[in-house]
Amino acid sequence: MNRFDIVGHRKIWYIFSSTIIIAGLICMFTKGFNLGIDFTGGTLLNLEFEEPVDINDVRTIMNDYVAGNTQIQMAGAQNDSVTAQNVMIRTRDLSQQERENVLQGFKEKLGDYKILREEKVGATIGSELIMKAVWAALISWLLIIIYISYRFEFKFGLAAVLALVHDTLVVLSVFSLTQKEIDSSFIAAILTVVGYSVTDTIVIFDRIRENLKLHFKRGGDIEALANRSIYQTLTRSIYTVTTILVTTIALYIFGGDTTRDFAFALMVGFAFGSYSSIFTATPLWVTFREYSERRQAKKRMKPRVAKQ
Amino acid sequence: MRRESFVKLAVVVVAVIAIFISFIKPLAYSIRQGLDLQGGTHVVLEGVDTPQAQVNDDAMNRVVKIMETRVNAMGLTEPVIQREGQRRIIVELPGIKDPDQAIEVLGKTAMMEFKDEDGNTVLTGTDLKDAREETDQQGQNVVSLEFTDAGAQKFAELTAENVGRTISISLDGQVLTAPNVKEPITGGKAVITGSRSLDEAHNLALLLRSGALPVKVQIVETRTVGPTLGQDSKDKSEFAFTIGVGAVVLFMLVFYRVSGLIADISLMAYVLILLFALKMLDATLTLPGIAGIILSVGMAVDANVLIFEHFKEEMRLGKTIRASMDSGFRRAFVTILDSHLTTILASIVLFFFGTGPIKGFAITLGLGAILSLFTATTMTQYLLKWLIASNIIHDHRLFGASLFVEKAVKE
């Protein structure tokens, strides 16, 4: 049976991934991210009014008491409606007095409300969080390279880490493109994706290692071996990504507003984590292996040339 | 042997399903819930250097002690007060009724001063022995003070020297009351009038009783989740869990038939053990933590899928069921170990760098990886062994092998 030559077409996958990532990077540098108050510092107020209120009234009251940028979101039955009971307000870090004024204003002009959620984060805490996140990502990458190099060899480790950097960049790109809000749970999502991406890659690498040991003689067709390993693990890859996406989609649809963006990040990450194991990590390993083989071949050639 | 294996298998299958159905909910609800689920307020305080007092380890430890006194007076079940890093303190107030008031009480330095008319400080909070709120005969809400012996002496001197003049009592530089001294007070007692309500008097008394903070603290973060949202989050996660796990269970049955049933049993056992471990570790279950559990179910399936795929592959090579199972397990184990260890690595990093809810997520994810390593390699293996030994399955297709066998023939 002729199976599609995945590794042989690797230039296509490299171009595909590079295109997404370059577009994403351009987007990241021009549009940036929609960072939540966890990162920027600020105040978040989620109120539920007894009667539906109009977004314009909410905005007017906010502008009366608070100078500066304020985001107001009406959550409710209709997404595009201007009136709702459930109002989400994001603004800068308000002082105790400003906050009291705003809440007093709401009560007087729009009626009674219940506070569903309220958050107030200082700006320094936010910037610390970004640093921590970057460190966490870098350290986990380093540990993974070390672990795989120890269990396999460095070429596998490098390919696996490049694949997960690829997945991280894709998730970041999607969040920059869609301008979905990034909060502290996004860091958890990214690191989960990192864990999953490596796990998924390792399953194929493990098969490659086994095939190398059992069925491979020096100078054999490395591309064919990589392809065979991919196809031997394909059923597992499909089943696993299906079950994990099902649980993530359940979380996305039914988990409520608080976990929706978190589940979305995971969905994108898992999908690309599975993709990259087959279309990025394995081809990259083949590329690295062929490169080092060529170099060794050259080295072997040289002394002979010198002797002649 | 055959009969014995079948009985073992049947007992475990029935027991796990029965325990899962009857205990999953009470077990899940008996784990301590984070503020995002039960509602409450999370406050982060930070020590600030001032010319009068620099932040140091000793001062922060004293601040923690004082915060404990202040928080304990709020009468909450299981509040949390802990230091984080050099100069931060995290305070968690589950189920607090009036978050605004609580936050105000926590943020106060509570430096009390008694001053004479010229502004000289004669007594401070350290001279106090006790402070209680009361309603006096005129129906006024007051805070009655009792001084230490040294304090009583100083207060007697202060009042004796200032008959006919005003003295002032202030908290954090704000004058609370400035009474006119009619006669010297020697009994070591005084009252502060002017509280608008008994509640306000209660808070003032509490602040005075717990003493002044040795350093200035600043509130750098507050997060409040109302009880309505908490309940809503709980309901929604419960539903997402049911749907997510239900779908996985169904999928495994469809993909792998009898083996799938075995995998489902070992998945249920996995979820039960995970919840039990969280309870035993006295972990706090947060919303991201629940997300972590739901996800870990999806990941725990992977170990079973790996085993079954190897199993089918060996059968395709023409080995007997038993031999296929043995070598299938051996080959799958290496992969499962490598893949789980990387997840554990990632969750360890997450644990050390994360704060609050993210730590909760890291714990469930890491613990989940360790436990699923265990259930997949022991539980699934034993159940499959018993299933094969009981010899009730003669058709390989019931292991989900049909697709493969046909494909193998075509090739």
Side-chain angles (χ1 to χ4, degrees), chain A residues 87-137:
Chain A
V87 182
M88 180 86 90
I89 300 162
R90 289 183 179 83
T91 185
R92 63 179 167 77
D93 192 2
L94 298 183
S95 71
Q96 196 60 30
Q97 193 57 48
E98 286 173 313
R99 175 186 166 279
E100 262 167 43
N101 291 342
V102 167
L103 289 177
Q104 193 64 34
F106 283 148
K107 198 166 228 166
E108 279 167 13
K109 291 172 190 143
L110 301 175
D112 210 2
Y113 59 82
K114 245 187 329 209
I115 294 181
L116 293 179
R117 186 151 72 103
E118 179 172 1
E119 291 177 2
K120 182 176 172 335
V121 182
T124 44
I125 288 214
S127 54
E128 276 173 35
L129 195 65
I130 295 180
M131 282 319 292
K132 273 187 168 181
V134 172
W135 274 113

Side-chain angles (χ1 to χ4, degrees), chain A residues 38-251:
Chain A
D38 286 349
F39 292 103
T40 57
T43 302
L44 176 150
L45 271 172
N46 186 2
L47 306 175
E48 189 179 75
F49 286 91
E50 284 186 343
E51 301 291 328
V53 292
D54 193 288
I55 187 166
N56 295 315
D57 293 341
V58 176
R59 195 176 297 283
T60 312
I61 294 169
M62 283 305 293
N63 289 342
D64 282 350
Y65 297 106
V66 179
N69 194 14
T70 297
Q71 261 179 285
I72 300 167
Q73 223 179 312
M74 312 297 276
Q78 287 100 7
N79 265 344
D80 51 345
S81 76
V82 288
T83 61
Q85 275 177 277
N86 190 329
V87 182
M88 180 86 90
I89 300 162
R90 289 183 179 83
T91 185
R92 63 179 167 77
D93 192 2
L94 298 183
S95 71
Q96 196 60 30
Q97 193 57 48
E98 286 173 313
R99 175 186 166 279
E100 262 167 43
N101 291 342
V102 167
L103 289 177
Q104 193 64 34
F106 283 148
K107 198 166 228 166
E108 279 167 13
K109 291 172 190 143
L110 301 175
D112 210 2
Y113 59 82
K114 245 187 329 209
I115 294 181
L116 293 179
R117 186 151 72 103
E118 179 172 1
E119 291 177 2
K120 182 176 172 335
V121 182
T124 44
I125 288 214
S127 54
E128 276 173 35
L129 195 65
I130 295 180
M131 282 319 292
K132 273 187 168 181
V134 172
W135 274 113
L138 291 178
I139 288 176
S140 61
W141 294 351
L142 188 70
L143 286 177
I144 287 163
I145 287 204
I146 292 172
Y147 180 78
I148 299 179
S149 303
Y150 167 70
R151 292 282 299 171
F152 296 76
E153 55 171 312
F154 179 68
K155 285 195 272 292
F156 283 106
L158 190 62
V161 166
L162 284 177
L164 72 86
V165 171
H166 162 268
D167 302 338
T168 311
L169 285 174
V170 169
V171 178
L172 286 172
S173 302
V174 170
F175 269 70
S176 176
L177 270 170
T178 56
Q179 288 289 300
K180 277 183 182 291
E181 198 192 68
I182 292 182
D183 60 10
S184 60
S185 69
F186 182 77
I187 299 172
I190 288 279
L191 284 169
T192 311
V193 167
V194 165
Y196 174 79
S197 169
V198 180
T199 300
D200 200 61
T201 305
I202 278 184
V203 173
I204 300 179
F205 280 3
D206 211 64
R207 187 51 80 102
I208 294 178
R209 180 173 60 180
E210 199 182 69
N211 285 337
L212 274 177
K213 223 186 299 173
L214 298 176
H215 312 290
F216 194 70
K217 290 182 200 77
R218 239 180 68 174
D221 188 349
I222 206 84
E223 281 188 15
L225 179 131
N227 272 327
R228 193 162 68 238
S229 305
I230 289 174
Y231 280 107
Q232 280 171 339
T233 51
L234 193 60
T235 314
R236 173 264 157 200
S237 302
I238 292 169
Y239 283 3
T240 296
V241 76
T242 309
T243 51
I244 196 139
L245 279 180
V246 162
T247 51
T248 318
I249 289 167
L251 207 57

